[in-house]
Amino acid sequence: MLKIKCILAFSFVLLAAFIFLENSLMRTTLPNGFVSSAQTLSGKDLFKNSCARCHGDTGTGGKGPNLTTEKKQAKWKDSDEKLVNKITKGGFGMPKFGKTLKPEEIKAIAAYVRTLKS
């Protein structure tokens, strides 16, 4: 009976250690300070999946406006707030993504869009 209890206790400790390590390895801190799992797509990947159909793969436009121009980039040079708001709420032909993307995903897209240059 003691042997079974020891085996069960050891198994429990081993399982707990495995879960802890898996969670620790899967999480990373992104540049904006929020924490994401390794399974979360990057801002670039999210942009390509959600925005490229209108703004093009490189943000140079198409159905939607060119996001790489100096004029557009100047709108959000100081903060991601305007971009996050636009991505979340949409408007002027742009769909809202607030219900389909997580806030951290929207922030990742905004951070990526700020890096686009023509």
Side-chain angles (χ1 to χ4, degrees), residues 31-87:
N32 285 357
F34 57 89
V35 177
S36 176
S37 74
Q39 295 171 332
T40 300
L41 297 173
S42 70
K44 182 177 182 177
D45 292 332
L46 288 162
F47 181 89
K48 286 190 179 200
N49 290 337
S50 301
C51 313
R53 67 177 174 237
C54 295
H55 295 287
D57 284 343
T58 59
T60 54
K63 182 179 175 183
N66 183 341
L67 303 175
T68 67
T69 65
E70 286 185 40
K71 184 177 178 181
K72 282 286 186 190
Q73 289 289 323
K75 284 184 170 183
W76 48 72
K77 69 177 180 144
D78 297 325
S79 138
D80 287 346
E81 185 179 348
K82 288 181 183 178
L83 270 172
V84 167
N85 189 45
K86 186 66 168 181
I87 297 166

